[in-house]
Amino acid sequence: MMRMRRRHLLGTLTCLIIGVVLLAGCNEEKQAQPSPESIKIEVKTGADDGGVVALTDLLPDNVFGIVNGGGDQPFMVGLLVSGGGDNLTGRGIYRFDISGYENKSFTFHVKCVEKHGNPGSLEVYLTNDSGPLETNPSNMSDVSQIWNPIASGEKIATITPVSGEWVTVDISSAMVKSWVTDKGYITIMLKLENENLGSNNDYYSFSTYEYSQGSAKPYLSAP
């Protein structure tokens, strides 16, 4: 039964993501790209962005789901449903190597590819870094180590993304100093302000490193 549930979950995630690409991909070239900045730090690899999806009905006591990094698909942040009828909750993760710029303030840029339903406001956090994301998820497992850092993170913004537009969030130099790792990474996590909407069809989809052939890579900018 659990194996069937895992297959349903993976299959549903694939179908949902492909649907988002089909809906939004045709409009990608029409969207204005952000202006060049004096310092621009992009996500380095596919393993540095994506997110984590957990079975909603087991939260918060058990965080069981899948970590997904890499690929050419946007990542869905919010409330979904699997092919097997399981309610899912997704959170986005973006890691940046800012080595050499640890004393800078930054602006985080990510494109909202689609808004589905009524997900409401989005919260943006700086969190402890849990390392590169798994790029070839195959089985559901305990993903609490990836999910939980947001609980002890620092909320830096509450925003309402607009479909087809870039989200920008300022990060002060003091925040950067507090959260940058010894290896020079900062980690940004995205979640719905209200993850208890009682629905399974309200989410945002955000661009990733390889989405649309890399034409909308998430990045940090600094003056």
Side-chain angles (χ1 to χ4, degrees):
M1 181 66 69
M2 181 58 71
R3 181 172 295 177
M4 292 179 64
R5 174 175 286 186
R6 291 172 179 170
R7 290 176 179 172
H8 278 305
L9 175 57
L10 289 169
T12 299
L13 288 175
T14 301
C15 292
L16 285 170
I17 291 171
I18 290 173
V20 170
V21 173
L22 291 175
L23 286 169
C26 60
N27 294 322
E28 183 66 33
E29 294 182 358
K30 298 179 182 179
Q31 302 299 330
Q33 295 297 311
S35 301
E37 307 288 345
S38 57
I39 297 174
K40 182 177 181 179
I41 301 175
E42 295 180 337
V43 169
K44 290 175 65 175
T45 72
D48 282 343
D49 70 2
V52 55
V53 176
L55 291 168
T56 305
D57 296 339
L58 299 182
L59 296 171
D61 297 329
N62 296 289
V63 188
F64 197 74
I66 291 175
V67 177
N68 191 1
D72 58 357
Q73 303 139 348
F75 190 83
M76 290 168 283
V77 176
L79 306 173
L80 322 167
V81 64
S82 75
D86 295 309
N87 297 321
L88 309 174
T89 303
R91 293 178 174 180
I93 300 172
Y94 295 86
R95 304 176 68 242
F96 295 93
D97 183 354
I98 61 167
S99 299
Y101 300 105
E102 291 90 344
N103 296 322
K104 282 280 189 181
S105 58
F106 289 97
T107 300
F108 169 56
H109 304 255
V110 65
K111 186 168 185 177
C112 178
V113 176
E114 184 196 15
K115 173 185 176 182
H116 192 91
N118 295 291
S121 297
L122 184 84
E123 294 181 336
V124 184
Y125 288 79
L126 287 176
T127 70
N128 289 324
D129 182 45
S130 53
L133 304 177
E134 185 178 354
T135 56
N136 294 297
S138 57
N139 293 308
M140 295 177 64
S141 62
D142 182 348
V143 292
S144 57
Q145 289 187 336
I146 309 298
W147 182 272
N148 288 338
I150 207 167
S152 57
E154 180 175 3
K155 183 166 67 174
I156 56 177
T158 301
I159 57 177
T160 304
V162 177
S163 180
E165 296 188 6
W166 287 80
V167 170
T168 58
V169 178
D170 292 332
I171 307 172
S172 71
S173 58
M175 291 178 178
V176 171
K177 291 177 184 178
S178 295
W179 292 98
V180 65
T181 69
D182 292 340
K183 294 183 178 180
Y185 271 86
I186 61 170
T187 298
I188 296 168
M189 289 189 70
L190 312 178
K191 66 177 286 290
L192 292 190
E193 181 179 40
N194 183 4
E195 292 181 325
N196 299 304
L197 293 174
S199 72
N200 54 23
N201 203 25
D202 296 289
Y203 58 85
Y204 294 102
S205 295
F206 292 100
S207 61
T208 57
Y209 172 77
E210 295 178 351
Y211 169 68
S212 191
Q213 299 180 336
S215 65
K217 290 182 181 179
Y219 69 97
L220 298 176
S221 66

